[in-house]
Amino acid sequence: TCARKACIVMEKIEQMLALTMMTSLQAVDFIEDAMSPATRDIHDAIRESVSFMEDDETMYVKIEETLSIVRSGVLQDITMKHAGEFTI
């Protein structure tokens, strides 16, 4: 059904967002002083649980933790704090 497919699509989008956040944080850690206050807050929120990857390692746990943060709504709260309420 359409509802089931929509749920699958949402799960895939959440997973893509988690992976994008992880790779973005890896990159931004090299240029920390170039972060906006919103980016700094998002960075810090994720880095509380997901550490910088120094070497090759199994990423499953980091991916799942980042996905959990994405699903928690914390990033949305941080974004709204800096950008204001979103209206759809």
Side-chain angles (χ1 to χ4, degrees):
T1 67
C2 289
R4 195 171 329 170
K5 287 180 183 179
C7 287
I8 292 169
V9 168
M10 281 305 300
E11 287 175 4
K12 300 277 186 213
I13 290 170
E14 289 172 337
Q15 292 167 354
M16 288 181 358
L17 180 58
L19 290 170
T20 301
M21 294 302 298
M22 285 180 60
T23 56
S24 298
L25 287 180
Q26 280 296 116
V28 83
D29 279 334
F30 292 108
I31 53 168
E32 286 187 19
D33 38 327
M35 284 192 252
S36 70
T39 303
R40 167 62 63 194
D41 287 351
I42 289 171
H43 172 276
D44 293 347
I46 295 174
R47 284 291 184 235
E48 285 179 15
S49 337
V50 182
S51 62
F52 180 80
M53 290 183 353
E54 296 284 338
D55 299 306
D56 287 341
E57 57 187 87
T58 304
M59 293 180 52
Y60 179 78
V61 174
K62 290 179 186 272
I63 293 169
E64 287 300 312
E65 184 58 35
T66 306
L67 184 55
S68 174
I69 294 166
V70 167
R71 288 178 174 160
S72 75
V74 169
L75 303 180
Q76 182 180 1
D77 294 343
I78 292 169
T79 302
M80 286 192 305
K81 177 181 123 185
H82 288 278
E85 259 325 292
F86 291 15
T87 54
I88 298 176

